[in-house]
Amino acid sequence: MTIRTRFAPSPTGYLHIGGARTALYAWLFAKQQQGTFILRIEDTDRERSTPESIQAILEAMDWLKLDYQEGPFYQTQCFDRYAEVIQQLIATGKAYRCYCSKERLDALRETQQANKEKPRYDGHCRHLTEQLTDQPFVIRFCNPKDGEVVFEDAIKGEIRFSNSELDDLIIARTDGVPTYNLTVVVDDWDMKISHVIRGDDHVNNTPRQINIFKALDANPPIYAHVPMILGEDGKRLSKRHGAVSVMQYREDGFLPHTLLNYLARLGWSHGDQEIFSRDELISLFKLSSINRSPAALNTQKLLWLNQHYLKNAPREEIMPELIWHMQRANIDVTNGPTLIDIINVQAERCKTLCEMVEKSRFFYEEVEAYDPTAAQKNLMSETLPVFRYLVEKFEALGNWEKEALHEIIKEAAAALDVGMGKIAQPLRVALTGNTVSPPIDETLALLGKEKTLERVKQALVFIDS
Ligand code: GLU
C-alpha cells in the first residue's frame, strides 16, 4: 500500500497546537512509511477563510519544518471537480434536489423536538418527480436508510453508526457551494489518501463520508481519530488557556523542536521516553500507540524540554531562533559577544529564548540605571577600594580571559581581606545593573576589557556622587 496522508486545515485562524499535533502525526506516519504528506487548505467557507490565516498556517508549518511533498492545494480551486462529482451522484440517483423552505424545515424540527426525536431531515424531496426550475434548492445526499456503517479506527478501534441515525445531508448549498463532507471525500478520493489522521471532533462525520465514498464506488481510506488536547485544568482547550497558537510558542521563546517533541508526546508514547530526535520520532511513531483518551497540557514539562534543548541542541539549530528573538528585542548583536558564546553561557540558566535575550541584553547595551535595591546593597563607599583595585588590575591585564580574570578576583579578595561575594556581587551590579548574571569571570570575559572598565568607572562615579 502506498501511504498518503494529508493535513487539511480550514484557514479561519492561526495554526493552533491541536492542528499542529494532527499535522505532526500525519507527517510522521508518512515519513516513516516512505509515503507522501500533503497539505490541503480547506478554504471553501469564503466568509471565514482569510489570506492571513493561510499565511499563518504556512508559516507555522514551515517553522516546525513539517514539509509536504504535495501542495498546498486549495479547495476553492476545485469547484469544477466538486460540481462534476455532485452531478455524478445526481445522475446515479445518489443525490437529489431539495426545495424545502426554511419554514418547512423549522416546523419539522419543532415537531421532532416536541416528540423528543433527534432533529433530522425527513427525506421529503427524495422522491420528487418534478423539478421546480424556478425555485431555490440545495442538493442532498441519499444516505442509506438501513444497515450500519462500521469502520476500524486505527486509534479508537471499531466504531459503528446506524444509518437510521444519519439523515440526507446537504452536499451543495443553494448558491451551489459544496459542503465540507462532500469536498473532503472528493479530495481524499482524488488525492488517493490512504490514511485520514484528524481530530476526533470529526468522528461523527466519518460514517457520512464513508457512505459518500461507497456511493461513488470508491474505497474509503483508513481513519485515525486523534483525541483532543485539554488545557492544564483538564477542560477543553481554548484561548482562555493562553498560548494555543503555534507561533505564540515561538514568541514565548520555545524552539521548534521542543514543540514538536512536546506535541508528539502529548497523546503518544514510546515507553517512558521523553526526549526524541526527529529521526527517532519518525522511526518509533505508531498510530496504535496514540492514547485513546485526551491529553492535558503541561507547561512545566514544556519548559523543562525547552531547557533541555537549549542546553543540548546543536548550536546551529538554536542560532536562527536566537537571532530572531534578538531582533524582536531590538538588540544590536554586532555590539557584543557572539551568539554561540551567549548560548553556551546562558543555556544553563534559561528555560526560554526570551529569558536568554533579556538576561543577555547588558552584554550589548549600556547600563542605563541600576536596580535601586541592588545598588543600595552593593554600590556603597566600602565598594570604592574594591573597584579601584580592580580597575588597576584590569587595566594592566593583557590576556582578557576567564582564568586570568578569576585570578584577579581571587587576589582582590585576599588583598582587601573580603569574601569573594563582596567583590563579585558589586561587580555584577556595575556590569549588568542587577545581581543576576552568569559566573562573574565568564561575564567579564564575554563583556570585554573596554566595556568592563567603562562600567566599573561609571559605578565609581555613581558611588562618589
Ligand atoms: N478542514 C477540517 C478542519 O479543519 C479538517 C477536515 C479533515 O481533516 O477531514 O477541521
Side-chain angles (χ1 to χ4, degrees), residues 6-12 16 22 40-43 75 180 184-185 188 196-199 201-202 205 209 223 225:
R6 75 339 183 246
F7 176 49
S10 306
T12 54
H16 58 83
T22 308
R40 181 171 83 216
I41 306 288
E42 303 207 321
D43 56 348
Q75 288 196 321
Y180 160 69
V184 85
V185 168
D188 286 340
V196 167
I197 300 168
R198 63 182 172 198
D201 47 335
H202 285 290
N205 288 319
Q209 293 174 16
Y223 290 92
H225 288 98

Side-chain angles (χ1 to χ4, degrees), residues 21-34:
R21 188 185 56 159
T22 308
L24 169 64
Y25 290 169
W27 177 88
L28 282 174
F29 186 63
K31 282 263 163 205
Q32 175 184 83
Q33 306 284 321
Q34 273 108 46

Side-chain angles (χ1 to χ4, degrees), residues 331-401:
I331 295 177
D332 174 8
V333 294
T334 58
N335 184 35
T338 67
L339 294 182
I340 295 269
D341 283 335
I342 292 291
I343 298 170
N344 286 339
V345 79
Q346 297 285 33
E348 201 61 46
R349 62 206 86 248
C350 297
K351 291 199 166 73
T352 69
L353 287 164
C354 300
E355 223 183 298
M356 189 177 282
V357 165
E358 281 321 313
K359 286 184 172 163
S360 304
R361 195 179 271 283
F362 74 89
F363 282 118
Y364 304 93
E365 292 175 2
E366 281 171 27
V367 177
E368 305 261 341
Y370 303 111
D371 172 79
T373 326
Q376 202 182 18
K377 245 179 106 190
N378 295 285
L379 302 183
M380 41 197 189
S381 50
E382 291 147 53
T383 321
L384 285 172
V386 176
F387 279 4
R388 286 191 186 123
Y389 179 96
L390 290 176
V391 166
E392 204 188 306
K393 297 286 173 187
F394 287 160
E395 269 173 346
L397 185 66
N399 61 330
W400 192 263
E401 277 156 20

Side-chain angles (χ1 to χ4, degrees), residues 120 143-149 161-166 211:
R120 57 204 301 276
N143 198 77
K145 279 196 166 350
D146 307 313
E148 276 188 319
V149 183
F161 283 89
S162 164
N163 272 322
S164 61
E165 294 284 310
L166 311 170
N211 281 336

Side-chain angles (χ1 to χ4, degrees), residues 57-334:
I57 291 167
L58 297 179
E59 204 187 322
M61 296 287 286
D62 202 40
W63 184 64
L64 291 170
K65 297 199 190 65
L66 296 177
D67 56 319
Y68 28 93
Q69 290 69 58
E70 291 178 21
F73 294 108
Y74 296 88
Q75 288 196 321
T76 42
Q77 289 172 9
C78 305
F79 280 129
D80 291 350
R81 175 65 183 143
Y82 305 135
E84 186 178 274
V85 173
I86 290 169
Q87 280 319 310
Q88 180 184 335
L89 287 168
I90 293 175
T92 52
K94 309 276 175 50
Y96 60 92
R97 289 184 180 188
C98 167
Y99 297 93
C100 287
S101 64
K102 185 174 174 301
E103 291 69 31
R104 177 175 188 276
L105 295 174
D106 286 347
L108 178 65
R109 191 171 43 246
E110 272 165 36
T111 317
Q112 286 168 336
Q113 275 166 349
N115 294 339
K116 304 237 175 326
E117 286 165 13
K118 198 172 154 193
R120 57 204 301 276
Y121 183 62
D122 61 355
H124 180 76
C125 293
R126 216 188 226 229
H127 303 293
L128 277 191
T129 42
E130 198 189 344
Q131 299 293 336
L132 313 168
T133 44
D134 56 342
Q135 297 287 313
F137 59 85
V138 298
I139 309 284
R140 286 187 188 269
F141 173 67
C142 286
N143 198 77
K145 279 196 166 350
D146 307 313
E148 276 188 319
V149 183
V150 184
F151 64 97
E152 187 65 26
D153 188 284
I155 297 168
K156 294 177 181 278
E158 188 183 271
I159 298 184
R160 291 171 173 268
F161 283 89
S162 164
N163 272 322
S164 61
E165 294 284 310
L166 311 170
D167 60 359
D168 288 353
L169 99 141
I170 296 174
I171 54 174
R173 288 189 270 268
T174 13
D175 57 5
V177 173
T179 60
Y180 160 69
N181 279 301
L182 186 277
T183 58
V184 85
V185 168
V186 175
D187 286 341
D188 286 340
W189 182 32
D190 286 352
M191 294 176 183
K192 300 188 171 52
I193 300 300
S194 64
H195 291 71
V196 167
I197 300 168
R198 63 182 172 198
D200 69 359
D201 47 335
H202 285 290
V203 167
N204 289 337
N205 288 319
T206 306
R208 299 177 176 283
Q209 293 174 16
I210 290 176
N211 281 336
I212 300 177
F213 267 101
K214 288 188 183 151
L216 291 166
D217 280 329
N219 282 330
I222 293 169
Y223 290 92
H225 288 98
V226 183
M228 300 276 97
I229 297 181
L230 304 177
E232 216 131 357
D233 54 2
K235 303 234 168 74
R236 214 193 136 124
L237 197 59
S238 72
K239 285 192 193 140
R240 205 165 34 80
H241 290 96
V244 285
S245 131
V246 166
M247 295 317 263
Q248 182 65 48
Y249 284 90
R250 182 185 206 191
E251 285 172 24
D252 291 348
F254 294 95
L255 292 166
H257 186 68
T258 301
L259 197 60
L260 271 199
N261 187 152
Y262 176 73
L263 289 177
R265 274 289 288 111
L266 194 60
W268 169 85
S269 57
H270 176 75
D272 48 17
Q273 187 171 339
E274 290 294 353
I275 307 286
F276 295 87
S277 68
R278 252 174 125 75
D279 287 345
E280 276 177 308
L281 284 176
I282 293 170
S283 64
L284 298 172
F285 181 73
K286 274 204 197 94
L287 282 177
S288 58
S289 313
I290 294 176
N291 298 342
R292 290 185 179 193
S293 43
L297 291 180
N298 180 342
T299 309
Q300 285 317 315
K301 187 162 162 190
L302 179 67
L303 287 165
W304 170 80
L305 257 185
N306 204 46
Q307 179 159 43
H308 169 84
Y309 283 117
L310 287 176
K311 285 201 277 196
N312 300 299
R315 294 328 190 205
E316 62 274 13
E317 210 177 276
I318 303 177
M319 198 66 87
E321 284 306 302
L322 182 56
I323 293 174
W324 187 82
H325 281 277
M326 287 285 193
Q327 277 166 353
R328 269 170 64 88
N330 276 323
I331 295 177
D332 174 8
V333 294
T334 58

